[in-house]
Amino acid sequence: MKKKKSGYKKYKFTYIKITLITLLICLLFVKGYTPFRASEENLFHLTVNGQDVGTVDKREKAEALLTEARRNIASGSDELVFMEAELAIEGEEVLWGYVDDEQEVLARMEAVLRGSTIETMRRSYTLKINDYMVNLASLEEVLQLLQAAVDKYDTEGRFQVELSYDTSREFSVLAADVKAEEEVDKQEEIDCSQGGIASVLARPHTEPIVKQDPDFEDFDLGILTMDFEQKMEIVEAYLPESLLTPVETATERVIMEQETPDIYEVVKGDTLSEIAIKVNIPMDRIVEMNDSLEDINTTLQIGQQLVITVPEPELSVTKVEQKFYEESYDAEVEIIDVDTWYTNQTEVLQQPSAGFRKIVANVTFVDDKEVSREILKEEVVMEAVAKVMKRGTKIPPTYIWPVSGGRETSGFGRRTAPKKGASTNHKGVDIAVPTGTPVKASCGGTVTKAGWGSGYGYVVYIDHEDGRQTRYGHLSRVLVSVGQKVRQGDRIALSGNTGVSTGPHLHFEMRINGTPVNPKKYVP
């Protein structure tokens, strides 16, 4: 009996031992628990941006999960996302512990990162036109804007914009080309043909038959080519939404005339050549922009306002159009230069007569403005007669005001006589200045009178090389004599109040071929 009981106890102890070993093995290998490693951290608590996201059994696994979470967020769209991602790992040594499912940890990390987004950079495109730049959300919007620029001047609706990569550039830069629809269709036909380019090259080549003297009916009128006037490039970029411009707004800014015309006001001493230098615009261009100017020799008036800029769009379109004209035309003026005359001296020898002609020409436009014309065929119905004229080549002398300061008290022309004996048709301008004010020669010349003159009081007359004469009246003292040569600005007299005068002033008069003229038209 004792023997049996002893065997039972031995069996029971063995059973308990096996059960404990089995439980220990299960605890060590079951999913969700980490095994014990002597003197080594084997359980890691993770936080991202201060928020708990779970536990893992290896430190490097935490780094890998964070990298995957960031990659998942970035790959979910075409946008470039900037986010805070501060990973904190706290390790500990445990005999056993619970480990979270990796996918759950990953999901928690993604949720925290999405809530920590600093800025989202959107895939977009920057259109650069010379120094002007605009950012658009997509290539479709870029095409929409450029096509709008072309459509504005494509009266036939035949041209469309195509984008292609510029192979000459190291980085990905797109260029824009404008092609006629028939060119696009032909290219698509070549690309889709079974033989490809080889079959096209294999076709027999025949030169087009060109008539030596085509009739007007033989020309194919209409727009031949279109292109963009400015240098332009399109670059892919990642930008925040705030920097993108709506395509409608961008289109208006780019293709509409934006610049406000600048105005220049003529001041004393200005000439057209000096103004051209100041504003950096050629004289003929200034004349073209201002209807008040006949040519580059037009006399300017103080206070006259000149337009010096013309509104232009940021993006212009160049087109070549073949056109038929029936028009009147003028023959070129024939100029006979006379070296002994001044440039303001002319004589017409033959009056012009307009002709009439029919032409076909390739006309180049920038936007709506014609910039050149190449005549392909011309038929003159009636010949034009040219204008023939003599014109001087010498630069005429300039004139200055004879006194410094003062104010005008009586202008040129009809007036009420200021006192008995004074003229009602004033032949000059009166400038009020104190008696004794120095009077200067308005222009260089020869003194032809210096002394007393009826009505003028003491007076000086100066004849000038261009045929004009200036007179200076009511002087208190004359400082020159008849026959004396004077230069512009030389002191010739002192102002006064002599003759028929209402007070101290200078009477300044200018005559051309003996006829009084308003000096303000000739003195800046």
Side-chain angles (χ1 to χ4, degrees):
M1 188 72 181
K2 283 183 181 181
K3 205 171 186 179
K4 182 177 180 184
K5 188 174 183 181
S6 176
Y8 172 76
K9 286 182 179 180
K10 185 178 181 181
Y11 171 77
K12 184 177 181 181
F13 176 76
T14 303
Y15 174 78
I16 293 171
K17 185 178 179 181
I18 292 172
T19 300
L20 289 173
I21 292 172
T22 303
L23 287 173
L24 181 61
I25 292 173
C26 290
L27 286 173
L28 292 176
F29 292 99
V30 72
K31 184 178 180 181
Y33 284 85
T34 181
F36 172 76
R37 299 181 184 91
S39 67
E40 182 181 350
E41 293 179 344
N42 57 353
L43 184 65
F44 301 91
H45 301 273
L46 311 180
T47 59
V48 174
N49 297 339
Q51 297 186 45
D52 180 36
V53 293
T55 56
V56 295
D57 59 349
K58 293 181 181 178
R59 183 180 293 273
E60 56 269 22
K61 189 176 292 184
E63 300 284 354
L65 287 172
L66 182 62
T67 301
E68 186 176 352
R70 298 185 63 160
R71 184 167 55 246
N72 290 346
I73 293 174
S75 63
S77 68
D78 288 337
E79 299 174 345
L80 194 62
V81 181
F82 292 90
M83 64 194 81
E84 291 183 353
E86 184 179 345
L87 174 64
I89 305 174
E90 183 180 346
E92 63 175 320
E93 180 182 338
V94 297
L95 182 61
W96 64 78
Y98 182 78
V99 177
D100 288 313
D101 181 78
E102 291 183 11
Q103 294 304 313
E104 291 180 3
V105 175
L106 181 63
R108 294 189 198 116
M109 284 183 170
E110 290 181 14
V112 172
L113 292 179
R114 284 193 176 92
S116 304
T117 299
I118 299 174
E119 188 174 26
T120 299
M121 306 293 276
R122 180 171 176 175
R123 187 178 187 179
S124 54
Y125 293 85
T126 298
L127 172 61
K128 184 178 181 183
I129 306 166
N130 289 337
D131 294 328
Y132 178 82
M133 290 191 297
V134 63
N135 304 313
L136 297 168
S138 65
L139 278 180
E140 289 73 18
E141 290 192 357
V142 174
L143 274 172
Q144 182 180 337
L145 184 153
L146 298 179
Q147 190 65 49
V150 171
D151 291 345
K152 186 177 179 182
Y153 305 102
D154 180 12
T155 55
E156 302 169 9
R158 291 177 44 233
F159 291 83
Q160 64 185 55
V161 180
E162 285 193 343
L163 301 180
S164 59
Y165 282 100
D166 185 349
T167 55
S168 65
R169 303 293 294 272
E170 183 177 353
F171 299 101
S172 297
V173 176
L174 288 162
D177 295 309
V178 184
K179 294 184 178 180
E181 287 184 348
E182 51 267 30
E183 291 183 75
V184 177
D185 294 341
K186 185 176 180 181
Q187 184 61 46
E188 290 177 353
E189 181 182 343
I190 292 173
D191 294 340
C192 296
S193 62
Q194 185 175 1
I197 191 65
S199 66
V200 175
L201 296 174
R203 296 173 187 169
H205 180 69
T206 57
E207 292 290 341
I209 300 174
V210 179
K211 294 175 68 174
Q212 293 299 318
D213 187 18
D215 298 326
F216 286 104
E217 296 78 14
D218 295 330
F219 290 93
D220 186 16
L221 305 179
I223 302 175
L224 303 179
T225 62
M226 295 189 75
D227 204 352
F228 295 111
E229 174 73 4
Q230 287 83 4
K231 182 181 179 181
M232 178 175 53
E233 57 185 32
I234 302 111
V235 181
E236 182 180 321
Y238 283 89
L239 299 169
E241 192 80 29
S242 59
L243 293 183
L244 301 182
T245 302
V247 66
E248 295 79 9
T249 304
T251 301
E252 184 175 352
R253 290 178 183 172
V254 169
I255 72 175
M256 300 300 175
E257 295 179 350
Q258 298 294 327
E259 186 180 4
T260 302
D262 283 339
I263 302 296
Y264 180 88
E265 186 169 320
V266 178
V267 298
K268 185 176 179 180
D270 268 343
T271 63
L272 194 59
S273 60
E274 291 171 336
I275 294 173
I277 294 171
K278 285 181 185 178
V279 301
N280 195 28
I281 299 175
M283 286 193 294
D284 56 353
R285 177 68 173 146
I286 296 176
V287 171
E288 181 182 336
M289 291 187 288
N290 291 272
D291 294 335
S292 61
L293 303 178
E294 294 182 5
D295 53 42
I296 61 173
N297 297 313
T298 303
T299 302
L300 303 177
Q301 306 298 322
I302 295 176
Q304 182 177 355
Q305 292 188 333
L306 300 177
V307 176
I308 56 173
T309 59
V310 174
E312 294 179 350
E314 297 289 351
L315 180 62
S316 295
V317 174
T318 301
K319 71 173 179 180
V320 179
E321 186 172 358
Q322 196 166 97
K323 305 187 74 171
F324 171 77
Y325 292 92
E326 287 184 318
E327 62 177 14
S328 298
Y329 74 100
D330 297 317
E332 290 189 12
V333 178
E334 297 179 14
I335 303 294
I336 300 173
D337 290 331
V338 182
D339 293 338
T340 57
W341 291 8
Y342 289 102
T343 55
N344 56 5
Q345 294 176 278
T346 60
E347 180 184 345
V348 177
L349 303 179
Q350 177 177 285
Q351 292 294 342
S353 177
F356 186 78
R357 65 183 177 181
K358 298 190 294 184
I359 64 172
V360 170
N362 285 346
V363 185
T364 301
F365 296 88
V366 175
D367 297 335
D368 286 325
K369 183 181 178 182
E370 179 180 328
V371 294
S372 66
R373 183 187 300 191
E374 177 191 2
I375 296 178
L376 305 177
K377 181 177 177 62
E378 178 180 5
E379 182 181 304
V380 176
V381 179
M382 184 173 65
E383 287 281 357
V385 177
K387 180 179 182 179
V388 181
M389 61 182 294
K390 289 182 178 180
R391 184 180 65 187
T393 59
K394 292 173 61 178
I395 303 298
T398 59
Y399 292 80
I400 62 173
W401 284 105
V403 290
S404 299
R407 62 184 178 86
E408 182 181 328
T409 56
S410 183
F412 178 84
R414 301 294 298 176
R415 69 174 182 177
T416 301
K419 65 182 292 186
K420 186 176 180 179
S423 172
T424 57
N425 185 19
H426 199 213
K427 296 179 177 62
V429 294
D430 290 343
I431 307 167
V433 289
T435 297
T437 299
V439 177
K440 299 172 288 187
S442 179
C443 180
T446 303
V447 178
T448 56
K449 185 168 184 175
W452 188 266
S454 178
Y456 285 106
Y458 285 109
V459 69
V460 171
Y461 294 177
I462 302 176
D463 285 351
H464 307 285
E465 290 184 359
D466 59 355
R468 298 176 188 175
Q469 183 186 76
T470 52
R471 297 183 177 188
Y472 312 81
H474 307 304
L475 307 172
S476 62
R477 184 179 176 188
V478 175
L479 303 177
V480 293
S481 57
V482 174
Q484 182 177 338
K485 300 287 186 181
V486 296
R487 295 173 299 179
Q488 185 182 67
D490 282 352
R491 183 181 294 192
I492 60 173
L494 300 178
S495 68
N497 190 27
T498 59
V500 181
S501 174
T502 58
H505 74 282
L506 172 70
H507 172 86
F508 178 49
E509 186 176 316
M510 180 181 289
R511 297 191 176 214
I512 299 177
N513 299 323
T515 303
V517 296
N518 187 353
K520 292 172 68 176
K521 290 185 176 181
Y522 303 92
V523 182

